[in-house]
Amino acid sequence: MQDIRNIVVLTGAGISAESGIATFRGPGGLWEGHRVEDVCTPEALAADPELVHRFYDLRRAALAGVEPNAAHRALARLDAAWDGDLLIVTQNVDDLHERAGATRMLHMHGELLSALCGVCGRREPWDGALPEGSVCGACGAAALRPDIVFFGEMPYQMERIEAALARADLFVSIGTSGAVYPAAGFVQTAAYHGAQTLELNLDPSMGSVFFEQTRIGAAGVLVPAWVSEVLGD
């Protein structure tokens, strides 16, 4: 790893599935028994805000029953020990990376433990139920919604992500389907700028063809082994 200085890691639902959090699209294209279109679009929020708020309230409450797994802990160890640049970009909305100890990271698709004002755009920490009509602490509007990037909305901090990909010597994708853009295109961006690319996944993703190397297996096994390689253990 002597040629590697700057690393970008992308994590998806597969890394948290081993902690018991359901992957985004389960059997039949459902997420926790709901069509994604019914709970994760601006149109769904407008049509049935009670359903959308209740859905994310349940997901938020469920976080108390799960814990970071070996893959989360390994990335936190990398974060603490790596003296080059590191950015962990997660598509997940849970807080397992943070609870494991990672700090150099961002949630491109939002966070369950956050509320977003639909009027002024302020994001604020939120760890309990978020009923429809909850009031924004900044502007006073009764317009708080789950701080989740819905389909059709722009993911967070794309400029920062693109800049990190352009500087990366190594791009690693962990537990992603390779089906959801723009994240699915990160491997091509990183490779275009000269980065080495590695996929760690339970099964080959839709984007496996774009990676120089793919390792197949459980994240809880593959990620600690890879981190040990990087750190020279």
Side-chain angles (χ1 to χ4, degrees):
M1 289 293 176
Q2 61 270 23
D3 297 329
I4 303 300
R5 178 70 181 172
N6 302 330
I7 301 175
V8 176
V9 176
L10 173 69
T11 68
I15 197 170
S16 291
E18 292 179 36
S19 290
I21 294 179
T23 54
F24 191 71
R25 289 186 186 271
L30 301 180
W31 186 22
E32 296 282 351
H34 293 271
R35 294 192 318 138
V36 173
E37 295 78 10
D38 291 338
V39 292
C40 199
T41 64
E43 294 78 14
L45 181 65
D48 195 343
E50 182 180 355
L51 170 64
V52 172
H53 279 261
R54 184 171 67 250
F55 178 83
Y56 290 102
D57 282 351
L58 291 172
R59 306 284 75 72
R60 194 178 303 111
L63 290 180
V66 297
E67 297 292 337
N69 60 52
H72 295 106
R73 294 192 294 272
L75 289 178
R77 186 166 76 92
L78 178 67
D79 188 352
W82 187 250
D83 61 3
D85 284 347
L86 172 69
L87 181 62
I88 301 169
V89 180
T90 187
Q91 296 173 275
N92 300 334
V93 296
D94 60 65
D95 65 339
L96 296 182
H97 280 301
E98 289 91 338
R99 279 199 265 158
T103 59
R104 290 187 278 179
M105 61 166 299
L106 63 86
H107 289 262
M108 65 178 294
H109 290 161
E111 302 177 60
L112 283 170
L113 296 179
S114 178
L116 172 69
C117 180
V119 173
C120 73
R122 179 177 184 255
R123 306 170 70 193
E124 59 182 276
W126 201 279
D127 61 7
L130 180 64
E132 180 188 359
S134 295
V135 174
C136 173
C139 73
L144 290 185
R145 51 162 271 192
D147 187 12
I148 304 296
V149 176
F150 292 153
F151 281 95
E153 297 179 334
M154 180 62 68
Y156 288 124
Q157 301 193 54
M158 284 301 300
E159 289 186 4
R160 181 183 174 193
I161 295 170
E162 293 285 348
L165 290 170
R167 295 192 307 270
D169 302 308
L170 174 65
F171 171 73
V172 183
S173 176
I174 302 170
T176 68
S177 66
V180 178
Y181 283 83
F186 289 174
V187 59
Q188 292 164 282
T189 300
Y192 173 80
H193 288 285
Q196 299 176 42
T197 57
L198 169 66
E199 177 181 44
L200 308 176
N201 218 358
L202 192 60
D203 300 292
S205 73
M206 293 178 66
S208 288
V209 65
F210 299 116
F211 287 88
E212 292 176 298
Q213 183 183 168
T214 294
R215 301 180 187 178
I216 300 300
V221 175
L222 294 181
V223 179
W226 169 71
V227 168
S228 291
E229 287 180 24
V230 172
L231 296 179
D233 292 354

